[in-house]
């Protein structure tokens, strides 16, 4: 393995302006895994226009508390669109929790969905249909070709900020004004 290789697991991946793919245009993705075999993450900037939490819980025959229809469902990426992923903060005691960092996990088990539907799930969470995925070396190649820039994870951006503001806020969080970004890769 390349000694300079470094995992970006737990970081944000922000789309550069030249990335025209509608799945990722002006997106922020939280990388839940990144190793030499590839990468996986959840897009934080796309909310499903017609599906809400109550619809998901009803489909799974999970009883819901009042307000479940106000839970947004994100489009987590173009891969595995028929699967549900929950990106969340503490607690991390769910059956399917995969730790990303000490403060963040990804789960896809029924018990976390039952807790959320009943109003007793994690305080901070995103329910997503699908995920984003990259094969071995693919993400690194896309970063070199100026499709992505990475930066630190922020709970405030991921869970508290309006979806429409996340891309700009994540870039500004690393000192970049999105209005000044170029869509051309440079190699000095």
């Amino acid at each position: 393995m390349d000694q300079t290789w470094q995992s970006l697991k737990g970081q944000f991946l922000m789309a550069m302006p030249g990335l025209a793919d509608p799945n990722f245009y002006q997106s922020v993705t939280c990388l839940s895994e990144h190793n030499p075999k590839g990468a996986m993450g959840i897009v934080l900037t796309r909310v499903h226009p017609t599906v809400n939490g109550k619809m998901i819980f009803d489909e799974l025959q999970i009883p819901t508390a009042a307000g479940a229809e106000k839970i947004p469902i994100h489009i987590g990426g173009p891969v595995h669109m028929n699967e549900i992923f929950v990106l969340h903060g503490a607690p991390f005691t769910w059956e399917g929790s995969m730790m990303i960092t000490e403060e963040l996990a990804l789960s896809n088990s029924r018990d976390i969905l039952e807790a959320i539907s009943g109003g007793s799930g994690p305080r901070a969470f995103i329910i997503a249909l699908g995920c984003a995925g990259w094969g071995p070396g693919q993400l690194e190649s896309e970063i070199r070709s100026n499709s992505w820039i990475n930066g630190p994870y922020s709970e405030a951006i991921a869970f508290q900020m309006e979806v429409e503001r996340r891309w700009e806020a994540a870039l500004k969080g690393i000192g970049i004004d999105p209005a000044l970004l170029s869509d051309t890769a440079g190699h000095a």
Side-chain angles (χ1 to χ4, degrees):
M1 181 166 69
D2 181 357
Q3 295 300 318
T4 62
W5 189 89
Q6 184 176 9
S7 177
L8 302 177
K9 180 178 178 176
Q11 292 191 25
F12 281 163
L13 195 62
M14 288 85 64
M16 294 293 281
L19 184 56
D21 181 335
N23 292 304
F24 298 109
Y25 179 72
Q26 291 190 348
S27 68
V28 176
T29 302
C30 183
L31 287 175
S32 55
E33 187 58 76
H34 182 223
N35 60 47
K37 295 180 181 179
M40 180 220 175
I42 302 296
V43 176
L44 307 178
T45 47
R46 296 180 60 221
V47 174
H48 201 290
T50 59
V51 178
N52 64 49
K54 182 168 180 11
M55 295 168 144
I56 295 289
F57 302 139
D58 287 350
E59 176 74 21
L60 297 171
Q61 300 179 350
I62 296 174
T64 59
E69 67 281 349
K70 294 180 184 171
I71 298 173
I73 302 300
H74 286 68
I75 300 171
V79 181
H80 303 294
M81 288 296 295
N82 60 340
E83 294 184 33
I84 299 171
F85 299 91
V86 182
L87 185 68
H88 63 91
F92 305 113
T93 55
W94 316 106
E95 291 175 18
S97 289
M98 177 187 83
M99 295 305 297
I100 299 169
T101 69
E102 292 180 6
E103 304 167 350
L104 187 66
L106 186 67
S107 300
N108 69 347
S109 54
R110 186 175 178 92
D111 61 338
I112 192 170
L113 293 171
E114 288 172 346
I116 291 169
S117 73
S120 62
R123 178 187 56 78
F125 67 88
I126 287 175
I127 299 175
L129 290 175
C131 64
W134 294 265
Q138 182 182 2
L139 178 57
E140 295 81 2
S141 175
E142 290 180 13
I143 290 172
R144 282 191 302 275
S145 69
N146 204 41
S147 293
W148 302 101
I149 189 166
N150 63 291
Y153 162 79
S154 162
E155 180 178 351
I157 292 172
F159 298 117
Q160 298 162 11
M161 185 173 286
E162 299 85 11
V163 171
E164 301 80 23
R165 295 184 49 227
R166 290 178 181 167
W167 179 72
E168 183 176 338
L171 287 168
K172 286 184 175 180
I174 58 171
I176 295 176
D177 180 348
L180 302 177
L181 282 177
S182 170
D183 62 356
T184 306
H187 302 281

